[in-house]
Amino acid sequence: GENVEQHPSTLSVQEGDSAVIKCTYSDSASNYFPWYKQELGKRPQLIIDIRSNVGEKKDQRIAVTLNKTAKHFSLHITETQPEDSAVYFCAANNDYKLSFGAGTTVTVRA
Amino acid sequence: DAGVTQSPTHLIKTRGQQVTLRCSPKSGHDTVSWYQQALGQGPQFIFQYYEEEERQRGNFPDRFSGHQFPNYSSELNVNALLLGDSALYLCASRVQGSTEAFFGQGTRLTVV
């Protein structure tokens, strides 16, 4: 089955700086890569996604890149704000089944 | 649109008991998946239902079973509860053929 690894497990950044989270996947058949943000006690919320036929996608301060050859994808958050503090999960979709990374706890210091 | 709704929000059960969790999908969605999220970990896929049948299953024992009703809502049943079953159980819905999944707020199950 698919195995998704996510790094780092924790990330502390100064407000206004950038944050980068990296994930690797194992199954070359995976074709869709969403990122979810989960605040304490709340549901995972889809913040951005990328499909296997696209190399990069951007939505305001958030961007995702995908390298199919290397089987890795990354989340970039620019100009971080306190409300960006949360746990972020990457996932890989294979046959409509999501496999998640272990999560990255992002803390934005004011 | 209420989105994906789950009930109950919290539940405490004793080891060996059985539990049923419920999920109503987002309006227009026909496929429901269940995930188990242990504390400090990412969600783990349990199974997926479409057209009232289990279509895919993750690495979970037969103690975990489910059902989907004609209105697309779904139930997750867990028998012979173990302490290790304590987790947040998440339901996600989507339209069949679409990859974008929306999650409910989850049911926090504590087994004592």
Side-chain angles (χ1 to χ4, degrees):
Chain A
E2 176 63 275
N3 181 44
V4 178
E5 294 192 356
Q6 183 172 347
H7 300 280
S9 57
T10 61
L11 182 59
S12 179
V13 297
Q14 190 71 37
E15 183 177 357
D17 287 350
S18 295
V20 180
I21 304 170
K22 298 182 179 182
C23 290
T24 61
Y25 61 100
S26 60
D27 193 336
S28 57
S30 291
N31 56 10
Y32 170 70
F33 306 90
W35 286 86
Y36 288 87
K37 176 183 179 182
Q38 188 175 29
E39 297 176 64
L40 194 61
K42 296 190 176 181
R43 73 187 72 195
Q45 287 197 305
L46 179 67
I47 56 172
I48 196 167
D49 55 18
I50 191 167
R51 300 188 186 278
S52 57
N53 58 348
V54 176
E56 184 173 357
K57 183 177 179 180
K58 188 174 181 180
D59 182 5
Q60 299 183 341
R61 297 185 297 108
I62 295 174
V64 59
T65 59
L66 171 66
N67 184 325
K68 283 179 58 180
T69 303
K71 297 196 188 71
H72 66 71
F73 55 115
S74 301
L75 178 72
H76 304 251
I77 306 174
T78 59
E79 301 173 14
T80 54
Q81 301 169 4
E83 53 265 37
D84 294 329
S85 295
V87 180
Y88 292 80
F89 293 98
C90 63
N93 177 81
N94 187 342
D95 197 19
Y96 300 105
K97 180 176 72 175
L98 289 174
S99 298
F100 284 83
T104 297
T105 301
V106 174
T107 303
V108 180
R109 306 187 308 272
Chain B
D1 180 10
V4 182
T5 58
Q6 293 184 240
S7 64
T9 54
H10 296 83
L11 201 53
I12 300 175
K13 288 287 188 178
T14 303
R15 190 171 47 184
Q17 285 189 315
Q18 179 265 344
V19 68
T20 297
L21 311 181
R22 296 176 176 82
C23 172
S24 292
K26 184 178 170 65
S27 178
H29 288 189
D30 55 8
T31 302
V32 173
S33 299
W34 287 91
Y35 291 81
Q36 180 195 66
Q37 186 177 20
L39 200 61
Q41 297 182 24
Q44 298 292 316
F45 176 78
I46 303 175
F47 43 53
Q48 181 179 113
Y49 277 84
Y50 171 65
E51 290 186 333
E52 303 178 47
E53 290 189 14
E54 182 183 296
R55 300 293 178 168
Q56 291 198 65
R57 189 177 184 91
N59 294 324
F60 280 81
D62 292 344
R63 297 187 298 110
F64 289 77
S65 63
H67 189 77
Q68 186 180 34
F69 299 93
N71 66 353
Y72 309 120
S73 67
S74 178
E75 288 183 349
L76 164 65
N77 301 293
V78 187
N79 294 323
L81 284 167
L82 304 174
L83 297 179
D85 294 332
S86 295
L88 179 67
Y89 287 86
L90 294 163
C91 168
S93 74
R94 61 179 176 86
V95 176
Q96 181 65 11
S98 169
T99 48
E100 190 172 351
F102 294 85
F103 281 85
Q105 81 283 5
T107 294
R108 173 70 63 186
L109 172 65
T110 303
V111 182
V112 298

